[in-house]
Amino acid sequence: KLRPQAIDFLKDMVVAEVVAPAAAVKLRRIEPPPPPPARLFLNFTDVTEEDVAQLVAATSKGEIKQILKRCLGVDQPSGFLTEILLDMHLYNFSFARSKRFPPVKTSTFLSIMKLVLEEGVRRRLPANEAFDVFKEWLLKHSVERPPKSVGIFNFDDVQDVIEYVHNTFFRHYRLYVYAYRTQINFDIFLDELSCSPDAAAMPAPVPMPAPLAAADEVETNAQPELEKELAEAEQLRAQSAGGVQEQGQGETKDDIIRRKVEEGMVKIIQKFDEKLKEQNTRFQAVLNGS
């Protein structure tokens, strides 16, 4: 015969063995699937190697634009904005071809420029912050350091790309952002309060103050609540006048002229120092911006 304590212990073991697998199965069922890994690099993301071959074999600008429109996802209706975007991609491809970029460099450069424009418009970035985004993605494809970056562009390529983008895209960056910025126009109509259905629920207008007559004017010195402030102001005025007189006593004409000249020189030196500091600040800002 088993003791009651042993029977209870065995019951607890059986319950634990039955419940634990069920709980484990339940936990495995509610675990969400892992998110797909984000793409770190842009080579052959939008433009494949076959697309680059088609672009090189194209015989007209219109044909190149149609290929770029399909590859880079230009899904806007035909119009002025679509032509601006396709012209930008066309000029970028022409630059890549002039530098004899292989397909991987051409594809990466086109995707970088597409991403920079989309980020600048979506986040409404100023030109300097958009240029930081451009440099980040360009350097990510210019240094062979897996898995952080990949060496697609060499040092000469980076210099050529930065110079080209600085003289073309970022020279007109504000126009690009303005053209593709979402604009909403509001038409506001004001109805008379008597015609509005909610006129009863609206607060009453603030009444206008009554005009003051000439008989309502009073003397400032005759107001008892201002007597203390006026007395203090008069006392300060008398003290300052007495100080000026004491300062002027005992000085000759030459001393007064010398003091005035020294005071003027001090003011000139202070203004000159302020201008030097302002000039140094502007020069430092130009250095940091370049």
Side-chain angles (χ1 to χ4, degrees):
K1 292 182 179 181
L2 296 176
R3 295 182 179 180
Q5 294 83 355
I7 294 174
D8 295 337
F9 178 76
L10 291 175
K11 288 181 179 180
D12 294 338
M13 289 183 61
V14 173
V15 171
E17 290 178 358
V18 173
V19 174
V25 172
K26 187 177 181 181
L27 289 176
R28 284 197 296 271
R29 288 179 180 175
I30 63 176
E31 288 180 355
R39 190 173 180 87
L40 296 177
F41 309 114
L42 301 178
N43 50 311
F44 296 130
T45 301
D46 302 302
V47 184
T48 64
E49 191 170 0
E50 292 78 9
D51 296 330
V52 176
Q54 294 179 8
L55 290 170
V56 174
T59 58
S60 64
K61 291 183 178 180
E63 187 178 355
I64 294 175
K65 286 184 178 181
Q66 291 301 319
I67 299 173
L68 291 173
K69 181 178 181 179
R70 172 178 55 82
C71 297
L72 298 174
V74 181
D75 55 356
Q76 297 180 354
S78 299
F80 184 67
L81 297 180
T82 301
E83 290 300 321
I84 293 176
L85 191 57
L86 292 178
D87 284 342
M88 186 196 77
H89 294 317
L90 174 64
Y91 294 143
N92 292 336
F93 171 71
S94 300
F95 165 76
R97 192 171 182 181
S98 67
K99 294 299 179 181
R100 301 183 182 275
F101 281 172
V104 62
K105 292 184 180 181
T106 302
S107 172
T108 304
F109 175 64
L110 292 175
S111 296
I112 288 176
M113 296 308 300
K114 173 191 173 184
L115 183 144
V116 171
L117 178 60
E118 290 177 350
E119 287 294 308
V121 173
R122 182 178 64 86
R123 298 164 53 188
R124 296 192 176 185
L125 299 177
N128 58 338
E129 295 184 11
F131 189 72
D132 293 338
V133 175
F134 165 74
K135 288 192 299 184
E136 177 184 357
W137 281 98
L138 182 62
L139 294 178
K140 187 180 288 187
H141 296 81
S142 305
V143 179
E144 189 65 34
R145 192 180 60 179
K148 301 290 186 181
S149 59
V150 61
I152 295 177
F153 299 104
N154 56 34
F155 181 75
D156 293 334
D157 295 335
V158 171
Q159 285 187 323
D160 293 338
V161 169
I162 291 178
E163 182 178 1
Y164 166 77
V165 174
H166 181 269
N167 292 330
T168 57
F169 177 77
F170 283 103
R171 186 179 296 273
H172 309 289
Y173 173 76
R174 296 178 62 184
L175 297 178
Y176 283 117
V177 174
Y178 176 78
Y180 292 99
R181 178 176 296 175
T182 303
Q183 299 182 3
I184 302 176
N185 297 325
F186 288 96
D187 293 332
I188 301 176
F189 299 93
L190 298 178
D191 296 335
E192 295 294 336
L193 294 179
S194 58
C195 299
S196 176
D198 298 332
M202 297 182 64
V206 179
M208 295 296 295
L212 295 178
D216 298 327
E217 296 182 2
V218 295
E219 292 292 336
T220 305
N221 298 332
Q223 302 303 312
E225 58 270 13
L226 300 178
E227 183 178 358
K228 181 178 180 181
E229 286 75 7
L230 293 175
E232 292 179 355
E234 187 65 27
Q235 184 179 1
L236 290 175
R237 190 181 300 109
Q239 290 178 357
S240 60
V244 172
Q245 293 178 359
E246 292 178 359
Q247 186 176 4
Q249 294 177 357
E251 289 184 341
T252 62
K253 187 176 181 180
D254 294 337
D255 294 336
I256 295 175
I257 294 174
R258 188 182 300 108
R259 179 169 55 82
K260 294 293 184 180
V261 171
E262 291 176 354
E263 291 175 356
M265 289 298 297
V266 170
K267 292 181 180 179
I268 293 174
I269 293 174
Q270 289 177 352
K271 291 182 179 179
F272 182 74
D273 291 339
E274 291 175 358
K275 290 184 178 179
L276 283 180
K277 291 180 181 178
E278 183 179 357
Q279 183 177 0
N280 292 335
T281 303
R282 290 199 305 265
F283 183 72
Q284 188 65 33
V286 172
L287 292 178
N288 294 335
S290 60

